[in-house]
Amino acid sequence: KIPKAKKTNAELIQINSMRTHYPEFKHHRNKEGNLVFTGKLQPKLEMPVYTVSIEFRGNDMPKVLVLEPQIRRDAPHTYPGSGGCLCLYKPSNFKWTANRPISNYIVGWTASWLYFYEVWKDRGKWYGQEADH
């Protein structure tokens, strides 16, 4: 039997913050040993409910995926070759650190991304903020 990994202080901060702000999100450890939060977001009542996963990777940028419904392959603001990982911010404009609560940044930005994604599907134009790459 494989022993459970001991949670780091940064992981405990993330878990407690998510429990407080988004108690419907559940967490588990993936095969890489990273903490992953999974939950549902609905940007507006008339829009679909999305199931998303947010992988906490310490000081590395969290990896955010839409699990269902599947997003289109040609969706803007996703990282190429990442399996649809969402691009929520420009790393040179915002430095992610392990002590920044996912609940304060990533969840809200993901909900905004989903809103603008739905508008993009309907109108063919991305109305959210964009940064040159």
Side-chain angles (χ1 to χ4, degrees):
K1 188 174 182 181
I2 299 170
K4 285 187 173 182
K6 187 175 182 202
K7 292 177 179 71
T8 65
N9 284 341
E11 289 175 331
L12 291 171
I13 289 168
Q14 298 299 335
I15 291 167
N16 289 330
S17 183
M18 287 295 280
R19 277 185 183 151
T20 299
H21 299 287
Y22 298 97
E24 67 279 10
F25 272 71
K26 303 302 178 206
H27 68 275
H28 68 277
R29 215 170 270 290
N30 66 10
K31 63 183 176 188
E32 289 81 25
N34 293 326
L35 195 60
V36 178
F37 295 94
T38 305
K40 296 184 182 304
L41 292 173
Q42 184 177 24
K44 284 184 79 173
L45 286 175
E46 62 271 14
M47 292 181 173
V49 175
Y50 285 91
T51 302
V52 300
S53 74
I54 303 169
E55 181 180 345
F56 175 69
R57 303 181 312 158
N59 287 321
D60 291 335
M61 179 188 322
K63 183 177 180 180
V64 181
L65 293 169
V66 176
L67 303 178
E68 58 183 38
Q70 225 174 11
I71 60 170
R72 289 178 28 186
R73 288 179 183 257
D74 62 338
H77 303 287
T78 59
Y79 288 102
S82 69
C85 184
L86 306 187
C87 177
L88 302 176
Y89 62 91
K90 186 175 181 182
S92 62
N93 291 347
F94 178 83
K95 176 70 175 140
W96 179 260
T97 66
N99 293 324
R100 292 185 188 270
I102 285 171
S103 64
N104 292 8
Y105 296 90
I106 303 302
V107 177
W109 291 348
T110 302
S112 293
W113 188 99
L114 292 168
Y115 171 82
F116 289 114
Y117 169 73
E118 284 296 319
V119 172
W120 169 79
K121 285 193 322 181
D122 186 49
R123 300 187 183 162
K125 182 175 182 342
W126 189 269
Y127 287 95
Q129 288 186 340
E130 297 179 288
D132 292 334
H133 290 98

